[in-house]
Amino acid sequence: MASVDHDPLLLLRGSIASSSAIIPTTSADTSSDSSTEVPLSQATHLLFTHPARVAIPIDAPTRFVSNGSPVDLRSIYFAWLNHEVAIPEYNASATKLNEELGGAGAVHKFAFVERLELIAWLEGGSEESEYIKPLAGETGGASATGAASTAAASKAAPTVSARSGRGTLDPRLAQIYNGERRMGDRNSVLRGIKPTDFSHVRKLAQAFMSKKPGPTAITNNPALAINQKPARRPDPIILLSPSASSLLRMSNIRDFLENGRYTLPDHNASISVLHVSRMMKDIDPNRPMRFILVEGPEQFKPEYWNRVVAVFTTGQAWQFKNYRWSQPTDLFRHVLGIYVGWRGEQPPESVRSFGHRVLATSVDKVRDPAAAGAENRWRDREVVESIWKAIEGNMRSKGWRKDAAPTSI
């Protein structure tokens, strides 16, 4: 396992946070004279310039595990270079790079959720991931990241070191922290020199050591379950309609759902994935929930459908062709449907035939910007609140909780 100072994932994350140069080279020499940038298909090493100049082999395995195998550094860096492009463009670029590599290597193509988790972790949006193994001696991704920040901060470098996307720490302040006198807590100060007799624990432990408990016993025993690490709740998914006639597309859905304001969509925008945050007080009153917005399920695994909480539709049946339930009557029996049209116009007959399983709403038409009252969009927020209320109610009925998601819908 790589050390904190030379861990490829932490070096890449720190370089991204500090906007430092990452140079593909053909040499392990870290001197500035030999660090000539070459195409990724010809590179043998990746040169990091922050917090120190370190060259890592391009095919070095990382702690990111996919299907039980570690993913190499080339694939991780290539995914970051293409993190803003749509999935079809990313796959096409990966195929082209594999052709240029020939037999010298191959770029791993990440699955839909794997790519989301990787980009979010590299950007500093999350501190842990189920796909990233912890460093040796650490208990989780967040601890490993913290260790890397401490190690980087302890070096007296002329520049400030990044702390996993959470700002910077002056190295002089880090030296002061390292020179602090460690104070004991209440337990260590009051313990004294008197030995403590733990012989009574043996009798309590015999009940657990006589027979190895199975999964059911662990679940039903509160004394054991208290130390079990809670499972990470996955993010719910909202599917949008890819139809050009849809009023809500990837270009304007975030402003609509987060700010309560409708604007016309930009049909030339190429956005494949969006994240929207919303407080769901009846599900988790302490923290906002993050929703994943996509236009199609092409990259879905079967279990992703259990996370779909809403489907925006225009009533066109071809939208559901590649869905798990291709018939609208079956689809909207499991998932909430949402239709958004113009105020004053009737929804299409196909939408009305779906019945109460589809929430039909409408927004005011966008006026000419030069006309009087063109900026009066106050009724948009009322529509948005009704949509979120319907989504939250449907999520509660399907089994979404503060720390758990439904296993089937």
Side-chain angles (χ1 to χ4, degrees):
M1 185 68 68
S3 65
V4 172
D5 291 339
H6 293 81
D7 180 72
L9 286 181
L10 294 179
L11 286 171
L12 181 57
R13 179 172 174 165
S15 298
I16 293 170
S18 60
S19 301
S20 302
I22 305 172
I23 307 172
T25 68
T26 57
S27 172
D29 191 354
T30 58
S31 62
S32 59
D33 297 335
S34 60
S35 57
T36 303
E37 184 171 357
V38 299
L40 199 58
S41 59
Q42 302 175 12
T44 60
H45 291 75
L46 210 58
L47 178 62
F48 298 93
T49 59
H50 178 85
R53 297 179 69 87
V54 178
I56 305 295
I58 196 75
D59 56 354
T62 67
R63 293 182 289 114
F64 193 99
V65 177
S66 174
N67 296 324
S69 301
V71 180
D72 61 282
L73 178 58
R74 181 193 288 113
S75 300
I76 299 288
Y77 180 60
F78 180 77
W80 168 250
L81 292 178
N82 294 270
H83 71 283
E84 293 184 348
V85 304
I87 291 177
E89 297 179 44
Y90 163 72
N91 290 333
S93 300
T95 301
K96 181 179 178 182
L97 180 56
N98 285 335
E99 293 175 354
E100 295 175 354
L101 288 171
V107 173
H108 173 77
K109 296 180 181 179
F110 290 92
F112 174 73
V113 171
E114 290 178 345
R115 187 172 180 235
L116 287 179
E117 292 272 348
L118 174 62
I119 299 305
W121 189 87
L122 290 176
E123 290 179 330
S126 63
E127 294 300 328
E128 60 179 9
S129 171
E130 59 182 299
Y131 300 101
I132 299 178
K133 289 187 175 181
L135 287 169
E138 300 293 345
T139 59
S143 300
T145 304
S149 302
T150 304
S154 63
K155 296 181 179 180
T159 59
V160 293
S161 55
R163 293 189 296 169
S164 306
R166 291 188 171 184
T168 57
L169 180 66
D170 193 311
R172 293 173 296 177
L173 184 59
Q175 287 182 333
I176 295 175
Y177 285 160
N178 291 334
E180 284 184 336
R181 179 182 178 185
R182 299 292 184 261
M183 303 296 293
D185 59 10
R186 178 177 61 88
N187 293 328
S188 61
V189 171
L190 299 179
R191 189 183 185 110
I193 61 174
K194 182 180 179 180
T196 304
D197 183 12
F198 292 103
S199 59
H200 66 283
V201 179
R202 183 179 303 172
K203 295 181 180 180
L204 299 176
Q206 285 179 351
F208 303 105
M209 299 176 61
S210 59
K211 183 175 67 174
K212 183 179 180 181
T216 304
I218 294 178
T219 305
N220 296 333
N221 192 324
L224 294 178
I226 194 172
N227 293 323
Q228 301 300 313
K229 183 178 180 180
R232 178 175 177 266
R233 183 191 64 199
D235 296 330
I237 299 174
I238 296 177
L239 284 170
L240 304 183
S241 171
S243 173
S245 63
S246 177
L247 300 189
L248 293 172
R249 301 294 302 277
M250 297 293 284
S251 58
N252 65 343
I253 187 66
R254 172 181 284 173
D255 192 26
F256 183 69
L257 292 181
E258 286 191 340
N259 302 324
R261 179 177 177 84
Y262 178 78
T263 56
L264 292 176
D266 181 7
H267 295 285
N268 296 323
S270 58
I271 305 173
S272 59
V273 179
L274 283 177
H275 295 102
V276 172
S277 296
R278 171 78 179 188
M279 285 295 298
M280 295 293 186
K281 295 183 179 180
D282 290 342
I283 299 176
D284 189 348
N286 299 320
R287 56 176 178 167
M289 296 186 70
R290 188 177 74 160
F291 292 80
I292 300 174
L293 278 66
V294 292
E295 282 190 343
E298 289 79 10
Q299 302 295 326
F300 272 26
K301 291 182 180 180
E303 60 269 23
Y304 294 171
W305 281 102
N306 296 328
R307 298 162 52 184
V308 177
V309 296
V311 173
F312 282 80
T313 180
T314 58
Q316 297 167 295
W318 59 263
Q319 175 186 348
F320 317 122
K321 181 180 179 181
N322 297 325
Y323 281 25
R324 178 179 178 181
W325 302 282
S326 58
Q327 295 298 322
T329 53
D330 295 333
L331 172 65
F332 296 121
R333 189 178 297 115
H334 297 84
V335 182
L336 172 68
I338 301 173
Y339 169 80
V340 179
W342 294 123
R343 193 179 303 275
E345 297 182 2
Q346 286 288 335
E349 178 62 31
S350 56
V351 173
R352 294 199 298 268
S353 67
F354 298 155
H356 68 280
R357 296 185 179 93
V358 176
L359 173 65
T361 61
S362 57
V363 296
D364 294 323
K365 289 187 177 181
V366 178
R367 304 178 184 179
D368 182 358
E375 297 300 322
N376 189 9
R377 306 291 310 178
W378 59 271
R379 287 199 290 189
D380 292 347
R381 181 169 294 278
E382 180 182 356
V383 176
V384 171
E385 291 301 322
S386 66
I387 291 175
W388 280 120
K389 183 178 180 181
I391 292 176
E392 184 173 13
N394 180 71
M395 291 176 65
R396 289 184 60 197
S397 65
K398 295 297 182 181
W400 285 88
R401 299 293 182 265
K402 179 173 64 175
D403 53 358
T407 57
S408 63
I409 58 174

